[in-house]
Amino acid sequence: MSNFISYLTRNETERGKENGNVEIQHYHRMQTFKSYIDEDEDNEKDDMKERASSFFQTDLSPRLLAGECKIAEADKTLSFSAFTDRKSGVSGKLFVTNFKVSFVTEDRSSYEGSNRRQRNLLMGDFDIPLTSIDTVYQEIDNDPSPKMISGGRRRKLSPGTTVSSYTKYIEIHCKNFNVHVFGLKFTPRDQNKMIVNTILHYAYPTKSSLLFAFYYGKEQQHFNFGSSVDTPLYDSPTDWEREINRCRCSNKWWVTDVNASYHMSTSLPERFVVPCGLLNFDLQKASSHFVDRRIPTWCYTHTNGVSLVRMANLLPQSDVATFEEREYTSKMLLTAVQMADNKGPPEIIDLNKSCPSLKDLQSSYDKLKELCVIGDRLKRSISLDSEKDFLVQDINWMSSLENSKWLSLVSQCMAVSIETMDLIVNKQKTVVIKEFDSRNFACLVSSLSQILMDPNFRTQVGFQSLVQREWIMMGHPFQKHNNLIQQGNSERVPVFLLFLDCVWQLLQQFPSSFAFTETYLTSVWDSVQLGLFESFLFDSPHQRSRFNVENRVMRQFRLPPVWSWNVQFSQDDQAVFNNPLYILKCKSQINGPVKDTMSDKSSLNGSLTRNTSYVFKLGKYYDDINAEVFSDEPSPILNPMIGESVIKLWSQCYLRWQTPAQIIGGGNPAQYFQQCIMMEEIIHLQHRLSSLNSKCHQRRPSSNLIFSSDKQKDQQDNMLDSTYLTSSFPFSSGPRALNKPSLIFTPISVYLQNSAIDNDYRDSED
């Protein structure tokens, strides 16, 4: 007989045993009713369904966005915790809408802000966007009768199939490597089949007009999302002109409208930058010789006057013209590039040879997914997801990671970007990066090279403008490569994820050179899977604009750009995007006094100060770190290392849902909060000195970090006291403490207890 264990609020006391094996216990973290079910498969009885029914009486419903509607629902559903061998389940109701799969539980604390994970304003902790679903597995009974619920068989469900058998468990694997398991054994038979078939139908749309984003945009068309975004969207000539003026090359390059209304190429934007020596007539004529009519276009001009250009391959001779015509066209365009920079013949880097193939990237990604998702890794007929399974696979973890070759691909792409940067900065040669259609690795190498050369792109707005210009506007096929639409046997090719991983590697090697954190990068990747933003929903600007023509009733349709972070996150949640080390490095009013303190060699009595004692102990290593962190300005050029010992796995992105791998109270987030405290203490002391010198009350300045002074005291206390730290913060709350009373979850507010700051700044005079 199964044990039904109920957990009430923290003020409830143990009431003993009721109804045979029903045991009500105290659970110190739960705010409202929760039920956990410990299943014994060998002793299942018919009366178990009657016992379970008492836990499913609440009328539950998911939160809906504008344009969202419920399609199917399943009563008496269980949501299982990861790595518990399916012995701990939360009772609730499963819904499918035209946007998401949503599990609603009786535990309302998850919807009232007291949960431990980063809150997304568009979806809850138990919501799964349909566009983020990668694969669906079904576990059925050998006998379809609900009475036979042991000995289940697991199989992968293909898109477009119809399920007729009774489903015991459904396992949903997401593109962000998360896995959700739901038990449907108590669900009514008609709902059981309906919920599974509805997921399969709506998770794999066959055309763009079936995506929920269009219904969402129709309801939101009276909002002007772009007006509140600081990031240039490059949908007007003004944004392009502002960028070439920033690079001080407006006398050499100009913004052309040769592709107005996408007459020349459907994968290029309507406006882009070309050499001043070329007219629209020349560009139009030359375009027929290039793949997808993608002529050479400007990417960036360095402060030394040397430029970076990207281009597609020339078409084969038999497709368009004679060999002489093709060669003449190529030389004409490259000569124009050379004349613009006046730096000699440009250096051509063939990315078809220097970068991995899309097939190699796809193969490597599949192996990485198998490694990081235990349900994919254990290719068995019966799914196993216990901690024991994790530990068994952990033995071969490093060799499996090496065999995936993912880190090798990261190193390879970084090497090409470093070569590009070196040619431009040190050898002062104009570089033309060439790829078959200039829509994949050309985006990666161009963007990464610019990050290495220009500190502007290491700020949040600068990075966003770079992605908007080099990826979104230049036609990277986000929809195709992320399988948002089912197109035959297409597979995921995450070129953009590989780019974000390369940026993360730079962030590890140069921790104070970037204004954003790894949490920001992970959030950008998650936004790609959300399927609500125009930025990552289409394969090109032309595809986005074509919707207005095909759907006249929604002529004013406009989705929000992903850079409107207020659509997804509150200001408190956006605070974890900001890097305290960058603030410490770049704000002169903070950096100056710190450098002065660091330069002191001894105290007045001749003894070593704390800082100089650290220098004495750590030697040159400390001097190098000090020079990097406390330099006068951001380093203009980054020259990263790419050796095997330096390139690491991006654990926050790939392993955040693997609870056995999480560090309770540790990992990178622990270091991050210590850095935030250090930043706040410096601001606190400076503000106190300033107040004493001026002899008048001044409001303490804000750092825009998680402990910042501009937050409401009661809201901040609630957030800090209810947020718990693991190495997967802020995405996963860590292992549940149901069967692990020894685990101690430390709230973030503990970090303030031993600091010199008081986080109530409203009326503080310090």
Side-chain angles (χ1 to χ4, degrees), residues 561-601:
V562 70
W563 318 124
S564 299
W565 289 109
N566 290 336
V567 175
Q568 287 195 73
F569 303 108
S570 66
Q571 290 298 323
D572 286 339
D573 289 322
Q574 292 181 56
V576 296
F577 292 172
N578 299 323
N579 183 4
L581 293 182
Y582 182 85
I583 299 173
L584 182 66
K585 178 178 181 178
C586 297
K587 286 195 174 182
S588 58
Q589 65 270 30
I590 298 173
N591 189 11
V594 172
K595 288 203 304 179
D596 293 341
T597 304
M598 299 291 288
S599 63
D600 290 341
K601 297 301 181 182

Side-chain angles (χ1 to χ4, degrees), residues 184-297:
L184 304 177
K185 66 174 65 177
F186 303 124
T187 302
R189 191 176 185 84
D190 58 336
Q191 293 183 351
N192 186 292
K193 295 180 181 179
M194 177 62 73
I195 199 75
V196 177
N197 287 322
T198 303
I199 292 174
L200 290 175
H201 177 74
Y202 282 88
Y204 305 107
T206 56
K207 54 184 179 179
S208 299
S209 59
L210 297 178
L211 291 168
F212 167 71
F214 301 130
Y215 301 96
Y216 177 71
K218 179 180 178 181
E219 298 296 327
Q220 300 287 340
Q221 56 183 300
H222 58 282
F223 291 105
N224 187 4
F225 295 104
S227 62
S228 61
V229 180
D230 295 331
T231 303
L233 301 180
Y234 292 97
D235 53 2
S236 68
T238 304
D239 292 336
W240 291 97
E241 291 168 356
R242 184 181 297 112
E243 181 62 17
I244 61 176
N245 287 331
R246 190 189 69 86
C247 294
R248 300 179 180 179
C249 61
S250 57
N251 60 329
K252 304 176 183 178
W253 302 84
W254 72 291
V255 181
T256 177
D257 60 353
V258 67
N259 199 36
S261 301
Y262 306 100
H263 289 317
M264 186 182 76
S265 173
T266 57
S267 64
L268 284 173
E270 290 189 280
R271 295 171 181 84
F272 48 88
V273 178
V274 294
C276 286
L278 297 176
L279 302 178
N280 283 352
F281 174 79
D282 302 321
L283 300 174
Q284 183 72 41
K285 183 178 179 180
S287 65
S288 60
H289 297 281
F290 291 87
V291 172
D292 207 9
R293 305 177 72 92
R294 293 177 65 94
I295 60 176
T297 58

Side-chain angles (χ1 to χ4, degrees), residues 102-162:
S102 181
F103 178 78
V104 184
T105 175
E106 286 87 352
D107 176 22
R108 307 309 298 174
S109 63
S110 294
Y111 300 91
E112 295 171 0
S114 61
N115 56 308
R116 301 173 183 172
R117 296 163 62 184
Q118 184 178 9
R119 292 296 299 130
N120 192 306
L121 301 178
L122 296 176
M123 60 182 186
D125 297 335
F126 294 97
D127 292 341
I128 311 169
L130 294 172
T131 51
S132 73
I133 294 178
D134 189 11
T135 52
V136 179
Y137 293 87
Q138 175 200 34
E139 189 168 323
I140 62 176
D141 299 323
N142 291 330
D143 186 332
S145 170
K147 295 182 180 181
M148 301 297 296
I149 56 177
S150 61
R153 293 180 291 108
R154 179 176 181 261
R155 63 170 182 168
K156 180 180 178 180
L157 300 177
S158 302
T161 59
T162 300

Side-chain angles (χ1 to χ4, degrees), residues 666-684:
N668 286 344
Q671 299 180 32
Y672 173 77
F673 286 120
Q674 293 289 1
Q675 294 164 2
C676 289
I677 288 293
M678 176 184 67
M679 185 73 253
E680 296 296 343
E681 288 185 337
I682 292 174
I683 294 178
H684 167 82

